[in-house]
Amino acid sequence: MKFLCAGAELAEAGSRGFDLDGTRLFAVRRGGQAYVYLNRCPHRGVGLEWQPDRFLDPSNSLIQCATHGALFLIEDGECVAGPCAGQSLTAIPCREDAQGLWIDV
């Protein structure tokens, strides 16, 4: 397991990007649960954020690709609208404890 961040550093309905040894990831918190994905759109392989740490649509209810506007479910990374509909983001197994958020790499 590799430490990602303290729990308080990932706000509810918020997102945050990370670069771990050249691997770009991002985390989203919804309903108190953290979700971590590779920062790579399945459509073109580009990063999703439109500004640093900005991975969500204006309502903070879906992950949005800044390049083509594809929308992904936070809970499982499935694309529900856009050019890669039916594909999914690559989920990274994670767990959270008193120290913070950990990923399984």
Side-chain angles (χ1 to χ4, degrees):
M1 297 295 272
K2 188 162 188 154
F3 184 73
L4 198 59
C5 68
E9 294 175 1
L10 182 60
E12 177 65 30
S15 59
R16 183 166 174 212
F18 301 91
D19 188 328
L20 290 182
D21 306 320
T23 300
R24 296 176 62 213
L25 309 169
F26 71 98
V28 178
R29 185 180 302 282
R30 183 172 189 182
Q33 174 74 37
Y35 303 89
V36 181
Y37 296 98
L38 277 181
N39 183 5
R40 190 171 191 276
C41 181
H43 177 229
R44 293 266 188 216
V46 298
L48 296 160
E49 74 273 39
W50 54 278
Q51 287 183 353
D53 299 327
R54 302 292 226 153
F55 294 88
L56 301 176
D57 70 345
S59 70
N60 290 335
S61 62
L62 294 164
I63 298 164
Q64 183 171 27
C65 177
T67 303
H68 296 102
L71 297 170
F72 303 87
L73 298 176
I74 291 172
E75 294 80 6
D76 64 9
E78 181 187 351
C79 182
V80 293
C84 49
Q87 294 180 283
S88 295
L89 299 172
T90 301
I92 305 298
C94 67
R95 70 173 175 82
E96 193 165 9
D97 63 19
Q99 290 179 298
L101 190 58
W102 300 81
I103 58 168
D104 191 359
V105 289

